[in-house]
Amino acid sequence: MDDKGNMSQQQIEKFKKLGSRFGIIVGILIFLLVVGVIGFQWIVDYIWMDSLDFGNVYTTILGSKVMLGVVGFILFSVVTYFTLFWIRRSYTKHFDSHQLPPIILKRKIMNALLLGVAIIAGALGSLIVQGVGWEPALKLLNYASFGQTDPYFNMDISFYMFVLPFLEFIVYLLLGLGIFFLIVEVGAYSVFNMYRMSRSAQLHMGITLGIIGVLLAFNHLLEPYGTLLTNQVNVFQQSVVHGLSYTDNLINIPSSYILAGVAIIGTVWVIVALVRGKLNSMLIPIVAYVVLVIAGQLVSAGVQNFVVSPNEFSQEEQYLEHNLNFTQAAYDLDNIEERENPGNDSLDEEMIERNELTMDNVRVNDSRPLLDVYNQLQTFRTYYQFNDVDIDRYEIDGEYEQVFIGARELSTEDLPEQAQTWLNQTLRYTHGYGVTMSHVNEITSQGQPEYMLQNVPPEGDLDITRPQIYFGEEDYGNVIVNSEVDEFDYPSGDENMTSRYEEEAGIQLNGMNRLLFSLNEGSFRMLVSDQVTGDSQFLATRNIMDRVNRIAPFFEYDQDPYIFVRDDGSLAWMLDAYLTAESYPYSEGYDGNNNYIRNSVKVTIDAYTGEVDFYIANPDDPLLQTYHNMFPELFTEEIPQDVQAHFRYPERLFTIQASMYGTYHMSDLEVFYNREDVWEFPTELYFDEDIEMEPYYVTMELPEYEEEEFILMMPFTPRNRQNMIAWMGVRNDGEHYGEKFVYNFPKQKNVYGPQQIENRINQDSRISQELNLWAQGGSEVIRGNLLALPIEDTVMYVEPIYIESSNETSLPEVKQVVLAYEDHIVMEETFDQSLEQMLTLIDPETEVDEDQIDEEIEESEEPTGPSIELEEELEEFSGLFNDYQNALSEGNWNEAAEIMTELETKINESE
């Protein structure tokens, strides 16, 4: 420094060098930190995936992402650097040095800045390209043919499903990039009207416009294929046809080709005008292009209004046929077998005997109230929880039986606060325990379910060899097993039983694994605890939904997994995976743009080991074949018998298919066009409100077959009417899994629909009187699901009635079962009693005890004194009323209702 304390030039240069080196070092450290964090996460994820034998799935996805990420990085960074470099060069050529900020003239600094901005843009581009493009790219490289072509372009369906989406992704990406940089250039070259005077600026903008023009032309060339995927004919209107329509064929497709040509010609025009300096003439092709786009839309709207609408069916007939056929194919509705059900009044005792197994499996319990029962009677400790009760079927002692089943899972959040320590939550309380199973059709005298499996350890009709549930629906945290701490197994009286994990299914915490996963968990205790040894195993991602999504995020999963018991007594979860797409031509969408769906994959997760298997349930699905080509080691083709025996056709898929079939069952095109025979889902009364009916599982014998089987079914009613017009079912057992069928009722005959039955129950004086009586006693009456049960050539309805008292610890109890058939409705304490009463009402050969009638007549003719008779009646009424009050005070609602009914009958008789 000099005498005044100022730094010398040499010292300034020295500090600049130090600052430059420091900046480089910081930049390198930041880069290494980012790469290190990303690499660390890759390693941890790979170890986890490889522990499940899905390492190749992970490396395939990662490899495609890295490849596309590199491409995206290069593309975005090079284009960014090239654009900014050209702008800077144009500035330095056009302006004098004194007109520019000094930093622009410093080449090294500017190059560093440009490189930094380019790297940031490249990183952003890498994220966009690999994040969005990896799956379309892999599908493009591995797609399977559908073996079916569209009727217009004669392209295989696979072109629309796999090729077209990737081409559109590339075009939109590049077009968006081009437009963005054109805006940047316009902003940069607007300074002092550079675009008018600088040849460099004009050439730069000309090249960008040329690229945009070519991309616009290519986009217009793809648009005709897009007409097969939508019913939008212009920005104002939609067609009655999903897919190619009359207006598309006549106007929109030719317009797209014209606009593609105009885009190319206009691009050349603009470039030439820029080079010649005729900037005003640049507007001519741009205006012409915009005018043609608007004109195309207006002409399309005009044709739709004045040509198509006045004679729509005639103009759209051939396209409606394509819409109908391709939608049926997209939802697997093209092979449904339609049969006739005459809806006869034929129920009798012999029919009941022929369908004994069907009658034995009529569901008089309901899963939603039953969940409350399980959680109150079968949890035993506050930290146990039943998340759901599901329906399944088992062969028990040679009998095919439908059952309810629920898993008793562990929730460490419900442990006492003082017990919520790291050791307890990570090492000791690691798993739930066992399942509860009950009959669907049997209840105790108190209205509770008859259990088939209950308590801990599980006792009942099945042997559970591994009741421990380490993986389930709970929001489980990661745990460590085989530590020095014995795991809590289940409560037994005043003591807790313990267990040790007996499988090699987790991640071994030895060597580097312990350090890696301690860092990943952010747990110092996991690293230093002497309770964790080299033999300990780390069980991660134990929520089964998170687990399968982490392994195969490209599938859509059903939100209702269910647990089942395998033949060896172990427990496993079943989960349905959906394969969906948005680009099936001519198909109407069921959820936004999604217009193709299959349940081609069944996933099982072992509740003890966490082992995951992706079973191929529909090998003929081309979308499944494409994924199989992408990830050959993901799938298991050989399905064990004890797994296949518990396949359930998923309710969500069946709901979508049944909803589409409500419209697309119409084979007559004119009827289909007019929507004359649309079917809808009926409504039912559940609890105390009308809701749309959901599909339900029943065990029944189909008329054409000799054995009962597990069926998922849904009744249909005509639009705006309540009578039942048909019912749709799908088979679930064995080689017939997935076979769908429809039974049509005669259109000239009224077959009661669910809501009509509900209304008739409400209007029945005895039933409504008893329901009101129970409701007035401080209890809640719960109307269970109304089930329509087809039996041979007829149909009857069953609805359970629950009673639940108002106190917090009350349990819903099945108190009555309503049975409806034809014009008869009965309500008794059990299904068997209701069925017996119904047969008595409908059987014309029921014997009447005439001697008893004669005796009653004779007794009525005997002279009695009016005062004596009145006194006897008053005493009888008083006694009945006292009995009624006693029954109410004791909570015996059923007995109270019977007494009130008897009292009212006697009062009416006395009058």
Side-chain angles (χ1 to χ4, degrees):
M1 289 189 182
D2 56 21
D3 296 338
K4 295 182 179 180
N6 296 323
M7 289 190 296
S8 64
Q9 186 64 34
Q10 185 178 2
Q11 289 173 319
I12 292 173
E13 292 296 328
K14 183 178 179 181
F15 274 110
K16 283 184 178 180
K17 287 181 180 180
L18 286 174
S20 177
R21 289 173 185 173
F22 180 75
I24 292 172
I25 292 171
V26 170
I28 292 172
L29 289 175
I30 292 173
F31 174 76
L32 291 176
L33 179 64
V34 171
V35 171
V37 169
I38 295 173
F40 171 79
Q41 196 60 54
W42 285 351
I43 292 170
V44 168
D45 289 343
Y46 175 77
I47 292 172
W48 184 83
M49 288 282 283
D50 194 51
S51 71
L52 294 168
D53 295 327
F54 295 126
N56 285 339
V57 175
Y58 183 76
T59 54
T60 299
I61 295 175
L62 180 61
S64 66
K65 286 185 174 182
V66 169
M67 182 186 69
L68 287 173
V70 170
V71 171
F73 180 85
I74 293 174
L75 174 66
F76 274 68
S77 60
V78 168
V79 171
T80 301
Y81 186 86
F82 177 81
T83 300
L84 297 179
F85 178 81
W86 196 318
I87 290 172
R88 176 185 175 276
R89 193 184 66 171
S90 298
Y91 269 56
T92 56
K93 281 187 176 181
H94 186 69
F95 296 103
D96 292 334
S97 58
H98 66 274
Q99 294 178 297
L100 296 172
I103 193 172
I104 293 181
L105 300 174
K106 295 179 180 179
R107 179 173 296 180
K108 289 185 178 181
I109 296 176
M110 283 304 299
N111 285 342
L113 285 174
L114 296 183
L115 185 61
V117 174
I119 289 173
I120 294 173
L124 180 62
S126 175
L127 290 174
I128 294 172
V129 174
Q130 62 90 11
V132 179
W134 72 266
E135 189 173 353
L138 282 178
K139 285 180 177 177
L140 180 71
L141 295 173
N142 296 279
Y143 72 84
S145 171
F146 276 71
Q148 181 185 12
T149 59
D150 76 89
Y152 188 86
F153 295 106
N154 202 33
M155 302 291 287
D156 191 273
I157 304 300
S158 57
F159 169 80
Y160 299 94
M161 298 279 275
F162 309 119
V163 180
L164 185 61
F166 187 77
L167 292 177
E168 290 177 336
F169 165 69
I170 296 297
V171 170
Y172 293 149
L173 177 70
L174 296 177
L175 193 56
L177 195 62
I179 293 173
F180 173 77
F181 281 112
L182 178 62
I183 294 171
V184 171
E185 292 164 21
V186 169
Y189 294 138
S190 295
V191 178
F192 299 110
N193 294 323
M194 278 184 67
Y195 63 88
R196 290 183 176 274
M197 297 175 285
S198 171
R199 301 291 290 172
S200 176
Q202 293 169 357
L203 183 60
H204 191 189
M205 295 175 66
I207 291 173
T208 306
L209 281 169
I211 293 172
I212 292 173
V214 171
L215 290 170
L216 272 176
F218 194 66
N219 184 56
H220 286 306
L221 292 176
L222 294 178
E223 283 177 349
Y225 300 109
T227 59
L228 275 65
L229 309 177
T230 179
N231 65 336
Q232 195 79 37
V233 291
N234 52 65
V235 294
F236 314 105
Q237 296 166 305
Q238 292 180 335
S239 169
V240 69
V241 179
H242 288 269
L244 185 73
S245 65
Y246 179 88
T247 303
D248 290 325
N249 188 22
L250 183 68
I251 302 298
N252 294 339
I253 291 178
S255 294
S256 296
Y257 294 139
I258 292 171
L259 288 171
V262 169
I264 294 294
I265 295 171
T267 299
V268 174
W269 184 304
V270 168
I271 293 172
V272 171
L274 269 173
V275 171
R276 291 182 177 179
K278 299 180 179 179
L279 302 181
N280 291 333
S281 66
M282 287 172 50
L283 295 174
I284 295 174
I286 296 174
V287 171
Y289 175 81
V290 172
V291 168
L292 284 174
V293 168
I294 296 173
Q297 292 292 303
L298 293 176
V299 172
S300 173
V303 169
Q304 190 69 22
N305 274 328
F306 302 113
V307 178
V308 175
S309 294
N311 194 18
E312 193 168 44
F313 174 70
S314 176
Q315 303 288 14
E316 303 285 23
E317 184 174 2
Q318 61 173 315
Y319 308 107
L320 280 168
E321 184 175 6
H322 301 151
N323 177 196
L324 177 63
N325 294 335
F326 277 75
T327 299
Q328 289 179 343
Y331 294 97
D332 196 25
L333 304 175
D334 47 353
N335 295 314
I336 289 181
E337 184 178 353
E338 291 200 12
R339 306 163 187 168
E340 298 300 319
N341 187 323
N344 291 333
D345 182 7
S346 55
L347 185 69
D348 57 24
E349 194 166 351
E350 291 182 0
M351 181 182 288
I352 297 299
E353 290 174 357
R354 287 196 304 270
N355 294 271
E356 183 179 0
L357 190 56
T358 300
M359 296 296 102
D360 289 343
N361 282 277
V362 172
R363 176 156 57 91
V364 296
N365 278 304
D366 195 295
S367 60
R368 284 168 280 193
L370 194 61
L371 180 60
D372 293 335
V373 176
Y374 278 20
N375 272 318
Q376 289 203 43
L377 299 183
Q378 284 293 308
T379 49
F380 308 115
R381 293 291 187 273
T382 57
Y383 42 75
Y384 282 135
Q385 179 75 26
F386 288 92
N387 287 292
D388 196 12
V389 175
D390 291 295
I391 297 174
D392 204 348
R393 72 284 196 199
Y394 289 80
E395 190 152 325
I396 299 174
D397 297 331
E399 290 291 326
Y400 187 79
E401 185 162 358
Q402 190 179 157
V403 303
F404 285 114
I405 185 170
R408 187 183 294 104
E409 299 192 59
L410 180 72
S411 174
T412 56
E413 292 181 358
D414 294 327
L415 288 171
E417 187 174 348
Q418 65 273 16
Q420 292 189 15
T421 63
W422 179 85
L423 187 144
N424 277 342
Q425 293 183 318
T426 308
L427 306 181
R428 190 182 302 280
Y429 290 93
T430 56
H431 57 269
Y433 198 88
V435 294
T436 294
M437 183 185 292
S438 59
H439 298 277
V440 299
N441 64 318
E442 295 183 20
I443 54 176
T444 67
S445 57
Q446 291 78 35
Q448 299 302 322
E450 284 280 3
Y451 293 110
M452 305 167 69
L453 280 172
Q454 60 180 326
N455 301 335
V456 288
E459 304 169 342
D461 296 339
L462 296 175
D463 291 327
I464 308 297
T465 58
R466 270 194 171 164
Q468 293 84 3
I469 299 174
Y470 284 86
F471 299 84
E473 294 184 88
E474 275 287 331
D475 188 18
Y476 289 113
N478 300 335
V479 297
I480 299 171
V481 295
N482 287 344
S483 68
E484 295 295 323
V485 178
D486 288 334
E487 300 171 47
F488 165 73
D489 202 27
Y490 63 90
S492 178
D494 295 331
E495 61 178 336
N496 290 334
M497 308 303 291
T498 60
S499 66
R500 303 286 295 177
Y501 195 68
E502 298 177 355
E503 286 288 341
E504 298 292 329
I507 297 167
Q508 207 74 27
L509 289 178
N510 52 16
M512 285 296 293
N513 279 357
R514 184 167 179 178
L515 174 62
L516 287 172
F517 285 92
S518 296
L519 289 172
N520 191 56
E521 290 291 292
S523 174
F524 184 69
R525 289 182 179 179
M526 181 175 167
L527 181 64
V528 302
S529 174
D530 58 358
Q531 305 296 324
V532 180
T533 69
D535 294 327
S536 298
Q537 298 175 57
F538 185 57
L539 304 183
T541 316
R542 298 196 298 138
N543 176 275
I544 56 176
M545 298 300 296
D546 295 340
R547 196 169 182 84
V548 294
N549 271 300
R550 188 174 176 185
I551 296 168
F554 34 83
F555 293 146
E556 184 180 334
Y557 296 99
D558 196 277
Q559 297 302 304
D560 185 27
Y562 56 99
I563 200 164
F564 66 100
V565 183
R566 300 194 65 169
D567 288 349
D568 62 0
S570 63
L571 302 175
W573 296 91
M574 186 82 73
L575 185 57
D576 291 292
Y578 300 115
L579 280 64
T580 62
E582 300 180 349
S583 305
Y584 200 94
Y586 289 101
S587 175
E588 181 178 349
Y590 67 90
D591 177 23
N593 294 325
N594 288 329
N595 62 1
Y596 177 91
I597 186 168
R598 291 289 188 278
N599 172 223
S600 300
V601 178
K602 299 283 188 178
V603 189
T604 62
I605 307 97
D606 191 287
Y608 188 88
T609 66
E611 178 185 354
V612 182
D613 288 293
F614 292 81
Y615 292 109
I616 295 178
N618 182 10
D620 297 329
D621 176 18
L623 190 50
L624 181 277
Q625 294 167 5
T626 299
Y627 279 111
H628 189 272
N629 294 338
M630 293 161 60
F631 310 108
E633 297 186 11
L634 175 67
F635 300 100
T636 303
E637 298 186 36
E638 218 40 59
I639 305 174
Q641 182 59 40
D642 62 343
V643 171
Q644 188 164 14
H646 294 281
F647 278 6
R648 288 187 340 188
Y649 202 84
E651 292 180 50
R652 177 170 179 259
L653 175 61
F654 186 69
T655 299
I656 292 170
Q657 291 175 321
S659 177
M660 298 304 297
Y661 193 77
T663 299
Y664 285 88
H665 70 277
M666 294 175 274
S667 56
D668 185 287
L669 287 179
E670 192 162 3
V671 173
F672 171 65
Y673 165 74
N674 290 315
R675 301 298 195 261
E676 295 177 17
D677 190 23
V678 173
W679 298 346
E680 294 180 335
F681 294 165
T683 57
E684 62 169 329
L685 185 67
Y686 186 74
F687 275 67
D688 59 353
E689 62 178 318
D690 289 330
I691 62 170
E692 187 177 88
M693 209 168 193
E694 297 177 354
Y696 52 90
Y697 296 97
V698 296
T699 300
M700 61 178 291
E701 178 184 322
L702 295 172
E704 294 81 1
Y705 300 92
E706 297 180 355
E707 292 184 353
E708 278 81 2
E709 52 187 299
F710 200 49
I711 301 292
L712 179 62
M713 66 169 288
M714 167 63 84
F716 285 112
T717 57
R719 175 175 287 177
N720 299 325
R721 293 173 61 191
Q722 294 182 343
N723 62 293
M724 187 153 63
I725 191 67
W727 68 274
M728 183 176 180
V730 59
R731 304 172 75 180
N732 286 261
D733 293 339
E735 62 183 10
H736 299 294
Y737 175 85
E739 293 180 7
K740 291 176 283 295
F741 55 88
V742 171
Y743 280 93
N744 295 306
F745 292 105
K747 293 185 179 180
Q748 68 276 10
K749 179 180 180 180
N750 180 66
V751 177
Y752 287 117
Q755 191 61 56
Q756 290 176 321
I757 295 296
E758 297 282 22
N759 294 338
R760 291 183 57 223
I761 292 173
N762 291 337
Q763 293 164 7
D764 186 280
S765 58
R766 172 179 169 265
I767 294 176
S768 61
Q769 201 171 63
E770 292 192 27
L771 296 183
N772 289 334
L773 179 64
W774 287 322
Q776 291 169 6
S779 297
E780 182 179 12
V781 176
I782 302 172
R783 299 273 286 269
N785 284 125
L786 179 68
L787 305 181
L789 297 175
I791 306 172
E792 295 186 10
D793 62 348
T794 188
V795 61
M796 70 176 180
Y797 287 91
V798 179
E799 181 176 87
I801 304 295
Y802 287 81
I803 305 297
E804 184 175 24
S805 64
S806 56
N807 68 68
E808 294 182 0
T809 58
S810 66
L811 293 174
E813 299 176 353
V814 179
K815 285 302 184 184
Q816 299 282 289
V817 177
V818 176
L819 190 64
Y821 180 74
E822 294 292 334
D823 293 326
H824 306 291
I825 294 180
V826 298
M827 184 175 75
E828 301 293 338
E829 291 185 9
T830 66
F831 172 75
D832 290 338
Q833 291 176 2
S834 292
L835 185 59
E836 184 178 345
Q837 179 67 20
M838 180 62 72
L839 290 174
T840 303
L841 291 175
I842 64 177
D843 190 349
E845 299 181 0
T846 300
E847 294 184 1
V848 179
D849 193 343
E850 295 182 359
D851 293 337
Q852 183 179 353
I853 295 175
D854 292 339
E855 184 180 343
E856 291 176 354
I857 293 173
E858 290 175 3
E859 289 177 355
S860 65
E861 292 176 349
E862 291 180 3
T864 57
S867 60
I868 298 174
E869 187 176 282
L870 180 60
E871 184 176 348
E872 289 175 349
E873 284 182 350
L874 288 173
E875 289 178 357
E876 186 177 9
F877 292 162
S878 177
L880 286 172
F881 189 75
N882 289 333
D883 292 341
Y884 167 72
Q885 287 185 317
N886 291 334
L888 280 181
S889 63
E890 293 173 2
N892 297 327
W893 315 116
N894 189 40
E895 182 182 348
E898 291 175 351
I899 294 171
M900 177 58 72
T901 302
E902 183 181 357
L903 184 61
E904 290 175 345
T905 302
K906 290 185 177 297
I907 291 173
N908 291 333
E909 289 175 352
S910 68
E911 293 175 349

